[in-house]
Amino acid sequence: MRLDGDQPVPLRRDWTGWLFVLLAVAAVTGVLYANGERDGARYIARPHPVAPPADVVPDAPPMELAPVTEADARAQNAKIALITKGFVAARPFVYTGGGDAKARARDCLAAAMLYEAGDDARGQQAVGQVVINRARHPAFPKSICGVVFQGSERATGCQFTFTCDGALSRRYSDAAWQRARNNADLMLAGGTYPAVGLATHYHTDWVRPYWSDSLEKIAIVDTHLFFRWPGYWGTPGAFRGAVSGSDGPVAKLAAISPLHAIALGLPTDVAPADANAAVGEARVVIGAGAAAGRDTIYTQLDRKAAPESFVTTALRLCGDKPYCKFMGWTNPTLKPDSDAMTDTQRAAMSFSYLRDDKAGFEKALWNCSEYKRDDTRQCMKR
């Protein structure tokens, strides 16, 4: 109420100004919200990702993360629908190459499995399946090492973050590295991990890659989410690429894989840390049989080396030979120079490796009285 002359009259309020203020505040809030959405919140998955054209190979986006908190990422990831329609397990894959090429591919795959999933067999197999799926898909390189280290020359934007974020400077134990290599061998020999189907992408549930909106979530393994392209490029028909069987060396693996170091002309006894401690490489004395180019190698092994490293030594010395028999002793006085060995010498053998490509056979065995193995199938029979 206000006075107008002597008579009190009702106060009439002009809401025009207030309405303008409210509209301005709403506009500013909308802009700020949109900016916030652009910085991460907008990456809530679309209910139906758009399938790329079937006649154009889609680009493989790099692993770049939206700036959201772990809690927000988990909440947003949980809202992504799990697509089960059309889920198909991958066909078994057998690496076509042999010798050093196969061993280098094995070490590339093992590195991805170990550094992406840690020392966990199930997680490693899931990662290994994604790598193999990518190698078969036309959107990715056509070799195992090419897939794993795609984009690793960049400081950011690599496909697997461990290849460009400095993670390879860390060292896992010799035993963990060998377990990863064994798992990689299984994957390259026809082993599959059906739970992730034809997934070509994955991430942990506490991050939010920018590409999440454009793909279909098809599997969950512990804290990892697995994705495929919608439409044709996520169907079995798209996984038609022939995978190379001649993987070359990768410089970033030289410090932990002697096979990559040798192919690059780098010494295997020089690394950021002592090579024997870093990769468990055994020091050897090669017998006359190998020096003469024969298929049987008699070797003195370093008793202090990790027993898993004997496999690396055998693969390095056997090279590309289709047939190779490798036998090693840690006791130099009992190491023979030919197959004409005594029963005592044979019983003292510490490790053996036999490869016969013609028969499709490859086996590594340890003397379990000298080196205990968790899997008794790896023990020499006495």
Side-chain angles (χ1 to χ4, degrees):
M1 304 287 286
R2 69 176 176 85
L3 294 176
D4 184 6
D6 295 329
Q7 300 297 320
V9 295
L11 177 64
R12 290 178 296 176
R13 305 189 180 192
D14 186 355
W15 289 97
T16 305
W18 286 103
L19 181 59
F20 176 82
V21 171
L22 290 173
L23 290 174
V25 170
V28 172
T29 302
V31 171
L32 293 174
Y33 182 77
N35 287 336
E37 291 283 82
R38 198 157 41 243
D39 287 337
R42 75 178 174 92
Y43 291 98
I44 298 174
R46 293 171 293 189
H48 299 292
V50 177
D55 59 343
V56 179
V57 177
D59 291 329
M63 176 61 88
E64 294 180 328
L65 305 178
V68 296
T69 65
E70 291 187 6
D72 285 344
R74 285 193 172 97
Q76 293 171 19
N77 289 327
K79 293 180 180 179
I80 303 176
L82 183 66
I83 306 298
T84 57
K85 183 178 180 180
F87 184 93
V88 179
R91 294 176 291 107
F93 169 80
V94 177
Y95 190 81
T96 58
D100 287 351
K102 182 178 180 180
R104 286 191 292 266
R106 182 269 318 280
D107 282 2
C108 284
L109 185 59
M113 295 164 79
L114 183 59
Y115 283 86
E116 289 285 297
D119 191 12
D120 173 72
R122 189 167 72 150
Q124 288 183 8
Q125 290 172 45
V127 171
Q129 187 65 68
V130 169
V131 171
I132 289 171
N133 289 348
R134 286 190 170 199
R136 285 171 154 172
H137 198 283
F140 299 94
K142 308 296 350 122
S143 70
I144 299 299
C145 290
V147 165
V148 172
F149 286 90
Q150 183 181 10
S152 63
E153 70 281 0
R154 301 190 294 262
T156 60
C158 48
Q159 291 291 327
F160 293 92
T161 53
F162 84 94
T163 66
C164 63
D165 67 359
L168 280 169
S169 63
R170 301 195 314 266
R171 290 292 182 272
Y172 283 88
S173 68
D174 293 333
W177 172 237
Q178 187 58 42
R179 282 191 289 270
R181 297 170 90 211
N182 291 342
N183 286 331
D185 272 329
L186 292 175
M187 299 298 294
L188 296 178
T192 62
Y193 191 71
V196 301
L198 295 176
T200 49
H201 295 72
Y202 66 86
H203 65 83
T204 55
D205 66 358
W206 61 81
V207 299
R208 192 85 167 100
Y210 286 110
W211 49 251
S212 293
D213 292 349
S214 62
L215 304 179
E216 294 178 338
K217 183 172 74 174
I218 61 171
I220 303 172
V221 178
D222 297 328
T223 60
H224 284 77
L225 313 178
F226 292 81
F227 298 78
R228 70 183 177 200
W229 269 294
Y232 169 75
W233 296 109
T235 65
F239 295 79
R240 63 182 185 271
V243 182
S244 169
S246 56
D247 281 80
V250 177
K252 287 195 172 186
L253 270 188
I256 61 174
S257 172
L259 290 161
H260 285 263
I262 291 169
L264 291 165
L266 301 175
T268 59
D269 58 348
V270 177
D274 176 72
N276 289 321
V279 298
E281 176 68 357
R283 292 178 291 272
V284 300
V285 177
I286 304 174
R294 291 165 53 188
D295 292 329
T296 302
I297 301 172
Y298 308 91
T299 303
Q300 179 184 328
L301 299 171
D302 183 358
R303 188 185 300 274
K304 296 180 181 179
E308 289 79 13
S309 72
F310 300 158
V311 179
T312 302
T313 303
L315 291 173
R316 188 185 71 184
L317 297 179
C318 284
D320 292 323
K321 295 176 182 178
Y323 179 92
C324 183
K325 181 192 292 185
F326 174 99
M327 293 178 284
W329 284 259
T330 56
N331 187 337
T333 62
L334 293 175
K335 182 186 77 66
D337 292 323
S338 71
D339 278 340
M341 65 184 78
T342 66
D343 290 341
T344 300
Q345 288 175 315
R346 188 175 298 277
M349 188 189 307
S350 304
F351 172 80
S352 70
Y353 168 83
L354 177 62
R355 174 201 299 160
D356 188 344
D357 287 349
K358 186 176 181 180
F361 180 84
E362 189 176 30
K363 188 76 172 178
L365 296 171
W366 283 260
N367 183 337
C368 289
S369 63
E370 185 176 3
Y371 296 105
K372 184 179 179 181
R373 309 300 295 172
D374 293 333
D375 186 347
T376 57
R377 291 174 298 181
Q378 297 178 347
C379 295
M380 296 176 180
K381 293 182 179 179
R382 298 299 180 187

